[in-house]
Amino acid sequence: MDNKTDGCDINRTGLTGVQAAENRLKYGDNVLTPPARTSMWLLYIEKYDDPIIRILLVAAAVSLALAFVNGEFVETVGIFFAIFLATTIGFFFERDAARKFDVLTAIGEEQPVKVVRDGKVCEIARREVTVGDVVMVEVGDEVPADGFLFEATDLQIDESALTGEPVTDKYVNESHVSTAAVSENSSIDNVMRNADEAAYPADMLLRSTMVMNGNGRMVVTAVGDGTEIGRVAHDATELTAVKTPLNRQLDRLASMISKVGVTVAMAAFVVFLGHDVLTQPLWHTDDYVQMAGVVLRYFMMAVTLIVMAVPEGLPMAVTLALALNMRRMLKSNNLVRKLHACETMGAVTVICTDKTGTLTQNKMRVNEIEVLPVGDDSKSGYSFPSLALSFALNTTAELDDSRGIGNPTEVALLRWLTGHGADYRALRASIPIEERLPFSTERKYMATLCDVDGVRWLFVKGAPEIVMARCVMTDEERTRVTGMLAGWQNKAMRTLAFACRRCDTMEVSDMTLQCVAAISDPLREEVPDAVRSCISAGIDVKIVTGDTSATAMEIARQIGMSLTAESVITGPEFAALGDDEALERVSEIRVMSRARPADKQRLVNLLQRRGEVVAVTGDGTNDAPALNHAHVGLSLGSGTSVAKNASDMTLIDDSFNSIVSAVEWGRSLYNNIRRFIFFQLVVNVTALLLVLGGSFIGTEMPLTITQILWVNLIMDTFAAMALASLPPEKEVMNDRPRSQADFIVSRSMARAISVVGAVFFVTMLSLLYYFEHIAGLSDEELTVFFTVFVMLQWWNLFNAKALGSCKPALQGMLKDRGLLLVLAIIIAGQWIIVTFGGRMFRTVPLDAFTWLWIVAATSPVLIAGELWRWMMRIKRTGKH
């Protein structure tokens, strides 16, 4: 249903009950459609949309078919168990995170709203507000729908939920709202060209913004999903097709594994069958049943090779790595909602950050005050009142504990006053206010007439140029103060002037300037260092805010960003660019001011088209579409629920420094995943070659299916937990972001897998040949063979830990308690299997001497690795 007006006459007496009912039928209730909830079953099924899982499903299907032929279901059960375990773990951790993250609360649609119905002012529930209603708003109200003003007195609106701008002046524009019709031609998009630099028209009020000062009346032009915040919320929840870097890498890895596995299996099938046909007399007889049996035997060997090539433990290992890091990142104030975000942060190349609440504290404060030496009023004999009276009496804001209620600038003044030991409440209670002139955009000042100990004093605060024009000052004083104000304004601070005069009227003239003040939204202390860390790590930082250009540029300067004319743009200017021109400009843009939600989302989409991995930080509803479309959306803990719901992670402490921590975790996690892939593929390459080699020497299955499942699934799961538990490495922040084109298995890593796998294969094949043709193949020799295979992988786990580094693998081992625990579990598990496995694992118990001999004989795996890393250190540094 279209819930936006297509033509509505402004009736200042409001709608009748009948008209309201008709419009509610036409435009619907004034409610936002909640985001669709994905069912738990669908969430679980989504876990199967993984390339390795898909290969495993195919292998499981083939294995199941063969199981019915030969009656052996152990392998099939093992593969299905691996699939179930990997998908269930991912589902469990994401559901657990979702329960912790579920902060999207129902909006109070029943809260009362003042409207004019049947010519009378009455209160109705917000959900009942409809197009054409005349709504009355005043200080403290939340605007219930979108509409145009036709009456306004000193109206100031907090639009930070949509633009990041805390206070925006609103006033009537007769060219937009008159007794004529308000139609779609007067909507936001068509009025923007007349909005000067403002993010939204000055005569438009938007749903979910707050009235900070003054009052007004508006006619409703859009309700529910047709409002600006409704469209933003829709953009924030729509499904996006952004694929994470890790998903793309695993797609390529799955493709490579399937190609290698199928190629090797087909080649082995053709070679072995061809050799049999050429050398065996069977193929010159008419015994077709026996021939079929031989073909089936070689076909089963080929299927076994395919299964051997598939790393059954990889999906679960990746899921475990992501899940464990999700939990550990929570300790560094990063609440991860979606598993992929853990790793994707490590690939981020661009961070688009909001200003208010993200870079700044979103808490106005008095930055500087210059008190003028006013002395005494020699004409009247009265001493001038202190600033405490001026701040306390000529403001209407309140302090509620640490929160401020009312105009943020006035809240800052009261905080300053309280910080200097004055009690503004006591002053207000003891000094009567006789008359007050509220601030207005036309006057640009506020004035209050008070009775101070029987003497009337007029206090004025407002725009310095207006207040100073009404003050008695020497040219020298005026020049000095003007220069001071200009310096503050160039630093993006808001400036105020305070003046007073002893008089009995509200005549603002012949005032005495008391002081001038600079009000600022201070930068978060950790932001400059955090931004420098991101830039040094090769990550481009862009400020995207609804605030003014001057403020945005000053914040950029304070955090150490270098700007040029080409690197600064406003939202309207960006929107006016064609897609091709905008695509060329996005890389050089550093600051975008006066940005609307659509501008932020478009910037993210264009950056992604250029191949960037984009993270977006923000706390407002205006940030939600960009948060949703980014590779990683990072909301603030103090942000709006819409922003949190659209994001992948929440920075609990609102600290930009947590982003640096998330990048560090992400890069370290990616390295840990690569380490596990190295470890897993060495196991698979060795086992794959053993099946082929065993066939050549007459032993087709030197390792049983249950033994292979122990190594490929259970043992590898422990290895994944060990490598995932490695702490993040500070050194990763010295590297540039990895290229999305780089394969997760690098050339050096592929060489290492090939070399180590080949060495392990030769070792195991030699041992197998010795046992079968010299020592005699018994259950004890087969148990030794299996244990040697496991221990080779056990020692190789140390080398996997040090992959990509020249540091000794044993360095810091005592701190890696998770790795030590896993190493102990694997040894204990192997001993239990060997001692009690029996027929299930085809093992017999081994004595202590044999165990010591196996451990010592396989230890050169670590020794050779340490020697290699030592030589690499010498080569790189020239030092031992």
Side-chain angles (χ1 to χ4, degrees), residues 15-17 19-25 27-31 108-113 115 117 122-135 144-145 207 220 223-224:
L15 301 175
T16 64
Q19 289 172 328
E22 291 175 350
N23 282 5
R24 285 191 66 193
L25 247 145
Y27 301 110
D29 285 344
N30 182 33
V31 296
E109 304 297 353
E110 301 301 324
Q111 72 179 55
V113 176
V115 300
R117 289 274 176 91
C122 62
E123 286 189 342
I124 62 172
R126 180 164 68 175
R127 67 182 302 116
E128 297 176 5
V129 173
T130 189
V131 172
D133 262 327
V134 170
V135 175
R207 178 184 170 118
V220 175
V223 295

Side-chain angles (χ1 to χ4, degrees), residues 66 133 189 194-195 243 369 459 481 583 592 619 629 727 820 829:
L66 291 176
D133 262 327
D189 296 329
N194 298 315
K243 203 156 193 174
I369 283 186
F459 298 102
V481 174
L583 187 62
M592 182 186 293
D619 63 340
H629 281 257
L820 290 174

Side-chain angles (χ1 to χ4, degrees), residues 418-485:
T418 303
H420 285 74
D423 186 348
Y424 77 92
R425 293 186 181 90
L427 292 174
R428 288 179 180 176
S430 62
I431 298 176
I433 295 174
E434 299 193 350
E435 194 173 349
R436 173 169 286 155
L437 193 63
F439 181 90
S440 73
T441 54
E442 292 80 14
R443 286 190 298 272
K444 296 187 182 298
Y445 67 81
M446 174 181 181
T448 302
L449 185 64
C450 306
D451 185 345
V452 182
D453 297 329
V455 179
R456 289 188 176 86
W457 285 93
L458 179 64
F459 298 102
V460 175
K461 79 169 187 297
E465 66 275 13
I466 302 299
V467 174
M468 288 169 60
R470 289 165 170 77
C471 290
V472 178
M473 302 176 66
T474 65
D475 291 342
E476 183 180 351
E477 289 174 336
R478 194 175 299 275
T479 300
R480 185 175 70 84
V481 174
T482 301
M484 186 184 306
L485 293 168

Side-chain angles (χ1 to χ4, degrees), residues 25-74:
L25 247 145
K26 181 178 180 181
Y27 301 110
D29 285 344
N30 182 33
V31 296
L32 300 179
T33 303
R37 291 286 181 173
T38 305
S39 69
M40 287 198 297
W41 279 111
L42 188 56
L43 283 175
Y44 180 69
I45 290 171
E46 285 176 356
K47 298 297 147 221
Y48 286 84
D49 187 22
D50 179 280
I52 305 293
I53 291 290
R54 290 195 292 267
I55 293 179
L56 279 176
L57 286 172
V58 173
V62 174
S63 177
L64 183 63
L66 291 176
F68 282 106
V69 175
N70 57 31
E72 179 59 66
F73 289 89
V74 175

Side-chain angles (χ1 to χ4, degrees), residues 799-869:
N799 294 327
K801 171 185 178 283
L803 183 71
S805 171
C806 292
K807 294 180 179 179
L810 296 177
Q811 180 176 315
M813 278 296 297
L814 294 179
K815 296 180 180 178
D816 298 334
R817 295 179 181 177
L819 181 59
L820 290 174
L821 177 62
V822 165
L823 289 168
I825 289 174
I826 292 174
I827 286 284
Q830 183 65 20
W831 181 83
I832 291 171
I833 287 173
V834 165
T835 306
F836 304 105
R839 291 182 59 188
M840 182 178 181
F841 282 91
R842 200 182 66 185
T843 58
V844 295
L846 300 175
D847 57 51
F849 177 78
T850 304
W851 270 103
L852 290 173
W853 174 84
I854 292 173
V855 171
T858 54
S859 61
V861 173
L862 172 60
I863 296 170
E866 292 289 65
L867 286 172
W868 174 261
R869 286 183 285 276

